[in-house]
Amino acid sequence: MSSLRILLVTPPLTQLNTPYPATAYLKGFLGKRGYHNVTQADLGLELVLKLFSENGLRRVFTEIEAGNFELSDNTRRMLRLHRSYLSTIGPVVRFLQNKDNTLAPRICHSRFLPEASRFDNVADLETAFGSMGLTDQARHLATLYLEDLGDLIKETVGPQFGFSRYAEKLAMSATTFDAMHEALQAAPNLLDRMLLELLDELVTRVQPDVVGFTVPFPGNLYGALRLAGRLKEISPATKTLMGGGYPNTELRQIQEPRFFDYIDYLTLDDGEGPWLRLLELLAVSCQPLASLASVEVAQAGATSTLTEQPLLANSHQLTTQTLQRTFLRNAFGKVEYINHPHPDIPHPEVGTPDYSDLPLSEYLSVIEVLNPMHRLWSDGRWNKLTVAHGCYWKRCSFCDVTLDYISRYETAPAALLVDRIEQIIAQTGQTGFHFVDEAAPPLALRDLAVELLKRRVSITWWGNIRFEKTFTPDLCRLLAASGCIAVSGGLEVASDRLLALMEKGVTIAQVARVTDGFTQAGIMVHAYLMYGFPTQTTQETVDSLEVVRQLFAAGIVQSGYWHRFSMTAHSPVGKNPGKYQVVPIGPEPGPFAWNDLWHEDPTGTDHEQFGAGLAKALYNYLHGVALHEPLSFWFDFRVPKTTVSRQLVQQALQEPGKPDFAKQNQRLFWLGNTPELRQEAGKKGPQAVLTFYEQAEDFEVTVPAVLGLWLQKLLTNLTQDYDTKLLLKDAARTFPTGGQSFQQLLESSAWQLLREKGLLVL
């Protein structure tokens, strides 16, 4: 057991409703490896709670009054209403934490909340929430109230503030460190001071030897570096580490020494292996790690010369060779990258996320926009879990398929995943799960669903998938039975030519059939949509919108979002732009971040002009509005008529599926209970009646008497034995002779009724 005191920090800001899982994953893993003195803190949440309190807002208003800010009319109005904000902020936060739902009627039906510009375009709330959705309606209004206050803060005392994009511009496409360095050298503003106060309290309590910062998004970088700079002031012996999605994609070529004034060690890709090597070294080393590392780099053939290297004991030289995927500044002020070829930690061995010391009851459930899928992201507390590491497809040309988080695909056994699910439920008391895979594999989801049903573990879950044909209607029904309520997946450009060019591996017709299967199973479908892909023409953009319109009109997609294509350095388009007929035009590589690339698309249309119209159309479609307006209605410039058949989606849905008799090698699965059997005399002779007692209804199935006992035994076995995979051809072997054939049974009304009620062929 290690005596190192470790602190894992999520800097501001990620989500208000649930913890970002990186620190919980790392704490769970380190606990299994003997590091039990690990504390984690979500300083994003803690900053929000400190700021959005009566005392916090009083400090905001006082500083505004004392400052020399240029104020908009909206801000002046809010200042005049400062007493109302001070008296309502505490109750509103408690309401959003689900600690006082009795406040909902006052929020909805009285002038309880002070209102500023965010309330100017409030939707028809009764249409959106219904007459009974009072709590949800109030949650939306309370969210607008918080966003008003966020606008006030951003205009005055905290220009970098954003609920999910905190100082994001400083880190976006930042090829040099200059702007970030200048911001960090400036005197801390009010929000910075609040954040540093929280850190001071935390460090006093934990007294850490090592502090790790997860930086999943650009908006987390400023807060992490501001906190790390403070650590260097108040606890200079404490080592600072950083990892996460932003370094993994943006900082893979960093050569900026000033970054390491704040962060001692920057790790890439999955953190478990690099952290183990660093912690082992920190536990045994009495000398600065940077000095030790320079020797290891020299031994690996780096450019440092032997005469430059500090003298070290042989034991330390051996220890430093264990560093993995780590950047640091060596003793001579140069940035070095060390990557000893250790094997990665296999996905089944990363352990169970440990949420034990996060204040789960303090998170805020908000409803920012009236989009059903966005609500899942921002409302409610979801346990985050990964079914498989990486992406099993890893071909999409717009994606970072060359990086480890996509390219290294590994699965974990379903039994192990359900073990983790049960552990997390026991720890958190929450049964909601968000599977955060890049694209959850359909067969792994199938096995997970079977294991959940076998062990009678009741959860609610959602996640990201590919709209591939493996998601048959029966598999969708199985996933729904296991607790799936929503999936999100990439339709992207909704053009078969462009889908092939981006190697998406799906067609429009296939997407239509898969989304229909999910919808029929009661699972909400969110489509990621893209415009501006290389060579995309005006006609293809309009045709894509027509496909999206048809999907919503058919009711098989319930939510969506348009994204503008972005070329990244690690994607196939970024690696080989000529293949996609685009021309990179910048930015020039620099010593800091390098990922987002500017480009020209000489054969494509003017993509930017379509953004507003596409977004407006989609917003209306997902509310069932204006689905039959001509596509030109959404744009303030001339667009061509669509060339897509108005029956494209309906024709795809009408294509007949494979009959059951052609599925001999597929597994039978029964979602219902064991039936009761009785014999009756029928017009055509003796018959068997099977009676089923299910949650919502009872029903009967009548078959020839010779089949009754066989069918009851078949369904009983399926109900009791989840481990034996009974294939359709196995059932055919035991089928009684002397009556109808097995194929006739599969085509009978009795079989079709069983299929309708929950007999699946997977």
Side-chain angles (χ1 to χ4, degrees):
M1 181 186 297
S2 172
S3 61
L4 281 175
R5 296 183 297 273
I6 301 167
L7 173 61
L8 305 176
V9 174
T10 303
L13 279 159
T14 49
Q15 290 177 269
L16 295 179
N17 63 308
T18 199
Y20 192 77
T23 62
Y25 259 109
L26 192 53
K27 176 170 180 171
F29 172 77
L30 292 176
K32 295 292 186 182
R33 298 301 181 107
Y35 296 93
H36 298 299
N37 201 351
V38 181
T39 304
Q40 58 185 325
D42 185 345
L43 290 186
L45 172 70
E46 293 187 30
L47 176 63
V48 166
L49 296 180
K50 186 180 182 76
L51 177 60
F52 293 101
S53 65
E54 183 177 351
N55 184 54
L57 286 189
R58 184 172 283 110
R59 292 175 66 178
V60 169
F61 289 127
T62 299
E63 186 141 330
I64 293 174
E65 290 171 5
N68 186 26
F69 299 103
E70 286 191 23
L71 303 178
S72 65
D73 291 341
N74 184 64
T75 296
R76 293 181 190 278
R77 167 179 166 74
M78 295 183 70
L79 293 177
R80 293 186 182 101
L81 295 173
H82 72 276
R83 286 195 182 92
S84 295
Y85 283 105
L86 291 175
S87 64
T88 53
I89 188 62
V92 166
V93 168
R94 287 194 299 275
F95 169 73
L96 291 174
Q97 291 172 322
N98 294 299
K99 295 179 179 179
D100 186 8
N101 288 335
T102 60
L103 192 63
R106 288 197 69 193
I107 292 176
C108 293
H109 299 318
S110 68
R111 290 293 183 182
F112 178 72
L113 297 179
E115 299 179 6
S117 62
R118 293 281 182 159
F119 288 79
D120 288 348
N121 297 308
V122 172
D124 180 351
L125 296 180
E126 186 153 326
T127 299
F129 296 102
S131 59
M132 296 297 289
L134 201 64
T135 301
D136 287 349
Q137 182 177 328
R139 201 176 303 285
H140 177 56
L141 293 172
T143 304
L144 297 179
Y145 163 94
L146 280 188
E147 289 177 335
D148 270 336
L149 287 168
D151 293 341
L152 170 78
I153 291 164
K154 191 174 181 66
E155 187 178 320
T156 56
V157 298
Q160 82 274 30
F161 182 76
F163 283 107
S164 60
R165 296 171 182 252
Y166 191 88
E168 185 179 57
K169 287 185 178 180
L170 290 172
M172 292 285 286
S173 303
T175 55
T176 76
F177 193 61
D178 293 347
M180 181 67 74
H181 183 68
E182 182 179 347
L184 292 168
Q185 295 302 306
N189 61 33
L190 176 61
L191 270 64
D192 295 331
R193 296 198 301 274
M194 287 185 172
L195 183 61
L196 298 182
E197 290 164 9
L198 291 167
L199 179 71
D200 290 352
E201 296 167 7
L202 188 60
V203 170
T204 299
R205 175 167 60 87
V206 177
Q207 296 185 343
D209 301 304
V210 179
V211 177
F213 297 96
T214 179
V215 179
F217 310 114
N220 299 105
L221 183 63
Y222 172 82
L225 294 179
R226 180 64 87 171
L227 291 165
R230 178 63 172 174
L231 268 170
K232 295 301 179 187
E233 295 174 7
I234 63 174
S235 184
T238 298
K239 299 299 181 182
T240 54
L241 282 66
M242 180 186 289
Y246 179 80
N248 293 347
T249 56
E250 303 275 350
L251 302 183
R252 303 189 74 88
Q253 301 176 32
I254 185 171
Q255 291 297 315
E256 174 56 73
R258 292 175 295 176
F259 178 84
F260 295 92
D261 291 341
Y262 307 90
I263 300 298
D264 293 309
Y265 314 108
L266 177 70
T267 67
L268 296 182
D269 302 326
D270 287 2
E272 290 87 356
W275 267 74
L276 278 186
R277 314 305 169 194
L278 281 164
L279 293 179
E280 289 167 359
L281 190 52
L282 285 168
V284 302
S285 175
C286 298
Q287 300 188 40
L289 241 168
S291 299
L292 301 179
S294 61
V295 172
E296 195 274 317
V297 173
Q299 292 171 338
T303 56
S304 302
T305 64
L306 289 172
T307 56
E308 292 177 321
Q309 298 163 10
L311 296 175
L312 297 168
N314 289 334
S315 61
H316 285 158
Q317 292 180 27
L318 294 173
T319 305
T320 58
Q321 295 176 8
T322 63
L323 290 175
Q324 182 181 23
R325 295 197 302 270
T326 302
F327 281 103
L328 47 81
R329 184 173 59 191
N330 66 23
F332 312 105
K334 296 180 179 179
V335 177
E336 305 281 9
Y337 181 59
I338 305 166
N339 185 19
H340 190 278
H342 290 286
D344 290 299
I345 304 296
H347 181 56
E349 296 180 18
V350 298
T352 304
D354 183 348
Y355 293 93
S356 59
D357 49 355
L358 289 172
L360 301 181
S361 63
E362 301 301 301
Y363 285 85
L364 283 66
S365 291
V366 298
I367 300 179
E368 302 168 74
V369 293
L370 305 184
N371 178 308
M373 195 69 181
H374 288 188
R375 174 179 178 167
L376 287 182
W377 285 317
S378 62
D379 183 22
R381 240 256 335 127
W382 298 97
N383 299 308
K384 311 276 189 175
L385 198 62
T386 307
V387 175
H389 182 283
C391 178
Y392 66 97
W393 181 250
K394 55 189 173 189
R395 298 183 201 172
C396 299
S397 57
F398 57 85
C399 188
D400 292 337
V401 297
T402 60
L403 298 186
D404 178 81
Y405 79 97
I406 298 289
S407 64
R408 181 166 60 87
Y409 175 64
E410 294 179 350
T411 59
L416 177 60
L417 290 173
V418 178
D419 288 345
R420 291 176 179 173
I421 286 170
E422 290 185 314
Q423 291 174 41
I424 292 171
I425 293 172
Q427 185 183 86
T428 67
Q430 300 286 334
T431 59
F433 283 81
H434 176 197
F435 296 133
V436 293
D437 299 64
E438 297 302 319
L443 298 184
L445 288 179
R446 178 200 64 190
D447 294 345
L448 175 63
V450 170
E451 188 71 15
L452 287 167
L453 293 168
K454 169 188 169 183
R455 289 160 63 167
R456 300 189 181 279
V457 177
S458 295
I459 66 171
T460 302
W461 65 267
W462 57 287
N464 196 48
I465 62 158
R466 293 180 63 251
F467 292 130
E468 64 156 84
K469 60 185 179 182
T470 311
F471 286 107
T472 62
D474 278 11
L475 179 54
C476 294
R477 294 175 69 188
L478 177 72
L479 300 182
S482 74
C484 180
I485 60 168
V487 293
S488 56
L491 172 57
E492 316 305 352
V493 286
S495 157
D496 282 338
R497 181 188 79 85
L498 293 172
L499 286 170
L501 179 62
M502 65 171 54
E503 297 187 63
K504 187 67 184 175
V506 299
T507 64
I508 294 171
Q510 179 181 316
V511 170
R513 289 189 288 271
V514 170
T515 56
D516 182 51
F518 278 112
T519 300
Q520 294 299 324
I523 296 171
M524 181 172 65
V525 177
H526 174 88
Y528 295 114
L529 305 167
M530 181 186 293
Y531 69 101
F533 191 75
T535 74
Q536 185 173 11
T537 64
T538 295
Q539 186 66 64
E540 286 172 324
T541 305
V542 173
D543 288 350
S544 294
L545 181 58
E546 170 60 17
V547 172
V548 171
R549 185 198 67 79
Q550 291 186 29
L551 292 170
F552 276 94
I556 57 178
V557 170
Q558 295 77 44
S559 175
Y561 190 81
W562 288 103
H563 302 258
R564 173 82 179 269
F565 168 75
S566 176
M567 188 166 81
T568 63
H570 311 295
S571 68
V573 179
K575 294 282 188 183
N576 187 9
K579 176 182 176 181
Y580 301 90
Q581 302 180 52
V582 293
V583 181
I585 57 173
E588 291 297 321
F592 192 50
W594 176 249
N595 187 37
D596 291 333
L597 305 179
W598 311 329
H599 70 280
E600 290 181 345
D601 183 7
T603 63
T605 187
D606 178 4
H607 304 301
E608 187 167 349
Q609 67 178 340
F610 283 93
L614 292 173
K616 186 177 180 181
L618 184 62
Y619 179 83
N620 282 274
Y621 292 167
L622 69 86
H623 289 99
V625 176
L627 281 163
H628 301 291
E629 290 285 352
L631 301 183
S632 59
F633 177 77
W634 306 111
F635 304 100
D636 57 5
F637 54 93
R638 289 180 63 85
V639 296
K641 291 184 178 180
T642 182
T643 62
V644 172
S645 165
R646 294 184 69 84
Q647 302 302 317
L648 176 68
V649 168
Q650 285 300 330
Q651 288 171 355
L653 297 181
Q654 289 167 7
E655 289 187 21
K658 187 189 296 185
D660 283 353
F661 192 72
K663 303 176 182 178
Q664 295 290 325
N665 291 314
Q666 292 181 236
R667 177 182 181 177
L668 287 170
F669 197 94
W670 173 237
L671 296 175
N673 297 318
T674 301
E676 294 181 359
L677 174 66
R678 71 177 189 274
Q679 300 288 336
E680 288 184 354
K683 293 181 180 180
K684 297 182 179 180
Q687 60 186 19
V689 179
L690 292 92
T691 304
F692 297 81
Y693 299 95
E694 305 298 340
Q695 273 93 327
E697 62 174 345
D698 303 334
F699 67 95
E700 293 184 340
V701 172
T702 302
V703 295
V706 68
L707 298 183
L709 192 60
W710 172 84
L711 187 55
Q712 184 192 41
K713 183 178 179 181
L714 174 70
L715 296 175
T716 299
N717 287 341
L718 293 175
T719 303
Q720 297 175 351
D721 185 0
Y722 290 86
D723 294 322
T724 302
K725 294 182 179 179
L726 182 69
L727 306 183
L728 193 61
K729 65 182 180 183
D730 298 328
R733 290 193 190 101
T734 64
F735 187 73
T737 58
Q740 63 181 193
S741 69
F742 188 63
Q743 182 171 354
Q744 287 175 319
L745 171 67
L746 299 185
E747 295 170 352
S748 69
S749 59
W751 183 263
Q752 295 308 313
L753 180 59
L754 285 172
R755 296 285 275 116
E756 176 189 331
K757 299 299 184 181
L759 181 59
L760 309 180
V761 184
L762 301 166

